[in-house]
């Protein structure tokens, strides 16, 4: 009963040969429904007729293509079709099978979803599945594409009557070569190209040709060798030409000159003019006279230092940056510490007492600090004070005394002057301010300089000579540090009054301060001299140029007064 109900719900098969009303088709052993012979004989079209028509149309198309006519229908040939005809016949055969299938399934109103197409041995197309359903008309185009032969096996047959969408016939591309008569009459035909433009040919590939390494270097070297060879030939030709004109000078080198009468090293000891005056006994030599250069004594000349040796500056020490100075000091202290520790280990020095501070007192002393912290703290403070006092005492011991400082300064001045004596000459418009004259003389004495300050109503002349360092300092004083436009009333003390010339007074006849706003100093000369011209520093006042020239003539420096008068 259950079986009957289940069979009643199934759709009956639409084949006419199923007389018993079976719900399923007979399944074959190959996995597909076995077709019943003679089932579709009534609706199946005549395949042989369709194939014959297709062969006739293919033969006609091949004949038209071969004849090269457009729009003319030729009679079909009875000969066997060629390869193109067989290819077209396969295509028409597929189209015929599809048309037969569509005619068979035109009366079916309801179709299932199409299954994969299966082709039977007789050429019919059906869905691959358990039911005998036919292919849907919408899927017939897919079936045509699936069973369409490949392009490699199908020969392309252009149709003469094929037209475009616009209705115009498409012309075939003529790939034949141009007519020789046309090429002669065509003025735009390029004969050099020939038939290369008529057909498309593959472009020949050209490989890259690289130069061998060192090719141009070898060529350049060859050119240089050739040029050097040509220059050598020109030099040889020029030398040969000059030798022919003036004779060969190389022959003079081989001429042996006769020996001189007396060699140059014997001229002072031979009495005569030649060696003939010297006899076999050696009496011809001047060896016994008091002015002879040959004696029984050995002379060792005294070695003299060159004049510039004393003026050579000492080598300057290398200047270090602050970081380098700190590093050098740290390294020296480390070396001293290691040396001290080594002596302590060897027993040469007693070990240093522990350096106790307030912050490490508990750690160093331990139990003693716990028992009596007040006494331990007082002891630590005393040790700290002793160390500070010792440090300050060491610094004071290293300091120089006043006499040592003065001696060191004088020693440096002497070393500076030993390198060379320098002279500077200054012209001052006015020395009416007494303070200016005091500064000039006092600084000259402090710098261990010698010279003269000569004052006159017209101007004043200052000559200062000393070492290089002192001269530079005095130059800064005269040109930069002193304000020459300053004027003030001199402070006169009792018992220290000294008569001064009128041009050296800071007050004029009316008792007013003199105007020194235009006062200035000029550097006339700066250079090095052999020795000092003055024995000490001094100052002198003169009223006339003759007196000034007489004073300077003692030091042979009167020319500076003439030069100062010419400078505005």
């Amino acid at each position: 009963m259950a079986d009957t109900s289940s069979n009643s719900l199934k759709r009956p098969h639409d084949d006419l040969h199923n007389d018993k009303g079976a719900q399923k088709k007979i399944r074959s052993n190959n996995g597909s429904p076995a077709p019943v012979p003679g089932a579709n004989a009534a609706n199946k079209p005549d395949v042989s007729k369709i194939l014959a028509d297709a062969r006739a149309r293919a033969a006609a198309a091949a004949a038209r293509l071969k004849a090269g006519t457009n729009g003319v229908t030729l009679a079909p040939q009875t000969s066997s079709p060629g390869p193109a005809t067989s290819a077209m016949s396969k295509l028409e055969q597929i189209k015929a099978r599809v048309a037969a299938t569509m005619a068979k399934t035109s009366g079916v109103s309801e179709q299932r979803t199409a299954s994969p197409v299966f082709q039977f041995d007789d050429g019919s197309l059906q869905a691959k599945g358990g039911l005998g359903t036919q292919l849907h008309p919408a899927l017939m185009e897919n079936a045509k594409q699936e069973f369409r032969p490949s392009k490699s096996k199908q020969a392309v047959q252009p149709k003469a009557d094929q037209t475009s969408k616009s209705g115009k016939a498409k012309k075939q591309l003529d790939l034949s070569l141009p007519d020789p008569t046309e090429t002669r009459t065509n003025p735009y035909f390029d004969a050099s190209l020939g038939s290369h433009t008529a057909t498309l040919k593959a472009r020949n590939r050209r490989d890259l040709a690289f130069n061998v390494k060192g090719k141009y270097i070898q060529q350049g070297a060859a050119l240089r060798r050739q040029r050097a060879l040509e220059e050598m030939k020109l030099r040889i030709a020029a030398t040969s030409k000059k030798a022919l004109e003036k004779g060969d000078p190389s022959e003079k080198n081989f001429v042996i000159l006769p020996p001189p009468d007396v060699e140059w090293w014997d001229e002072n000891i031979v009495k005569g003019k030649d060696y003939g005056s010297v006899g076999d006994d050696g009496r011809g030599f001047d060896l016994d006279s008091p002015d002879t250069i040959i004696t029984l004594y050995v002379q060792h000349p005294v070695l003299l230092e060159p004049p510039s040796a004393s003026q050579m500056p000492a080598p300057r020490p290398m200047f270090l940056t602050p970081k380098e100075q700190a590093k050098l000091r740290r390294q020296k202290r480390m070396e001293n510490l290691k040396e001290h520790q080594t002596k302590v280990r060897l027993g040469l020095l007693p070990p240093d007492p522990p350096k106790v501070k307030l912050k490490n007192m508990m750690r160093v002393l331990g139990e003693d600090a716990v028992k009596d912290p007040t006494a331990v703290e007082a002891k630590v403070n005393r040790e700290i004070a002793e160390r500070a006092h010792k440090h300050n005492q060491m610094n004071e011991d290293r300091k120089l005394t006043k006499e040592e400082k003065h001696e060191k300064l004088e020693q440096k001045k002497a070393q500076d002057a030993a390198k060379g004596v320098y002279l500077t000459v200054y012209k001052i418009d006015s020395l009416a301010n007494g303070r200016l004259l005091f500064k000039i003389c006092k600084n000259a004495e402090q710098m261990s300089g010698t010279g003269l300050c000569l004052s006159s109503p017209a101007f004043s002349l200052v000559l200062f000579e000393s070492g290089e360092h002192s001269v530079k300092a005095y130059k800064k004083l005269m040109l930069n540090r002193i304000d020459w436009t300053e004027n003030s009333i001199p402070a006169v003390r009792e018992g220290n009054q000294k008569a001064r010339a009128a041009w050296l007074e800071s007050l004029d006849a009316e008792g007013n301060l003199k105007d020194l706003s235009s006062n200035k100093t000029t550097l006339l000369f700066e250079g090095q001299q052999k020795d000092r011209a003055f024995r000490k520093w001094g100052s002198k006042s003169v009223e006339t140029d003759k007196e000034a020239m007489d004073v300077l003539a003692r030091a042979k420096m009167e020319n500076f007064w003439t030069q100062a008068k010419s400078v505005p």
Side-chain angles (χ1 to χ4, degrees), residues 49-358:
K49 184 177 180 181
I50 295 173
L51 293 176
D53 296 340
R55 290 191 182 95
R57 287 194 297 271
R64 286 196 303 270
L65 183 61
K66 185 176 181 180
T69 58
N70 296 329
V72 180
T73 305
L74 300 178
Q77 299 179 2
T78 57
S79 59
S80 61
T85 306
S86 62
M88 293 299 293
S89 63
K90 291 181 181 179
L91 181 61
E92 294 297 337
Q93 183 179 1
I94 294 172
K95 290 182 179 180
R97 292 177 181 174
V98 172
T101 307
M102 291 179 64
K104 179 180 179 181
T105 59
S106 60
V108 181
S109 59
E110 185 176 358
Q111 296 289 343
R112 289 173 173 257
T113 303
S115 301
V117 180
F118 176 78
Q119 183 178 7
F120 292 97
D121 297 334
D122 58 349
S124 61
L125 299 174
Q126 288 186 0
K128 185 175 181 181
L131 301 179
T133 57
Q134 301 297 327
L135 194 63
H136 194 273
L139 302 176
M140 296 303 293
E141 191 67 24
N142 296 335
K144 296 178 183 179
Q145 295 178 3
E146 184 176 356
F147 289 96
R148 185 174 298 169
S150 61
K151 292 183 180 180
S152 59
K153 296 181 180 180
Q154 181 180 358
V156 179
Q157 297 291 340
K159 295 183 180 180
D161 56 349
Q162 185 178 4
T163 58
S164 62
K165 294 182 181 179
S166 59
K168 297 181 181 179
K170 294 183 180 179
K171 296 182 180 181
Q172 299 293 333
L173 180 62
D174 188 9
L175 301 179
S176 60
L177 298 176
D179 191 3
T181 58
E182 296 180 1
T183 60
R184 297 192 190 96
T185 58
N186 188 3
Y188 303 105
F189 180 75
D190 190 359
S192 62
L193 299 177
S195 61
H196 294 285
T197 58
T199 58
L200 298 176
K201 293 185 178 180
R203 182 178 177 181
N204 295 331
R205 180 181 178 183
R206 294 185 299 175
D207 297 335
L208 295 175
F210 295 99
N211 293 323
V212 182
K213 183 178 180 181
K215 172 183 177 182
Y216 295 105
I217 296 176
Q218 295 177 359
Q219 293 179 2
L223 292 176
R224 286 190 289 272
R225 288 195 299 269
Q226 183 68 20
R227 187 182 303 172
L229 183 61
E230 293 177 357
E231 292 177 356
M232 185 175 64
K233 290 181 180 179
L234 293 176
R235 287 197 302 269
I236 293 174
T239 306
S240 302
K241 185 177 180 181
K242 185 183 293 186
L244 292 176
E245 293 176 357
K246 298 183 179 181
D248 191 1
S250 61
E251 295 180 357
K252 298 180 180 180
N253 298 332
F254 299 98
V255 177
I256 300 176
L257 299 177
D261 296 337
V262 178
E263 297 290 348
W264 61 269
W265 54 82
D266 292 335
E267 290 179 355
N268 295 329
I269 59 176
V270 176
K271 294 181 179 180
K273 297 182 179 180
D274 54 3
Y275 290 105
S277 60
V278 180
D280 297 338
D281 54 355
R283 295 180 179 179
F285 292 103
D286 186 8
L287 302 178
D288 300 332
S289 61
D291 57 345
T292 180
I293 61 175
I294 298 179
T295 63
L296 53 88
Y297 302 103
V298 178
Q299 182 181 3
H300 297 283
V302 179
L303 297 178
L304 300 178
E305 294 183 356
S308 60
S310 60
Q311 301 178 3
M312 291 295 293
R316 301 182 64 181
M318 183 176 59
F319 294 98
L320 302 177
T321 62
K323 289 186 177 180
E324 292 175 343
Q325 293 177 2
K327 182 179 179 180
L328 184 61
R329 178 178 179 272
R330 188 168 55 252
Q331 291 177 352
K332 289 182 178 179
R333 288 170 61 89
M334 184 65 68
E335 291 176 0
N336 296 336
L337 178 61
K338 288 183 178 179
E339 183 180 358
H340 180 74
Q341 291 176 353
T342 304
K343 292 180 179 180
V344 171
R345 292 192 189 98
L346 296 176
L348 301 177
L349 293 177
D352 296 335
K355 191 175 182 180
V356 185
K357 302 178 183 178
L358 293 176

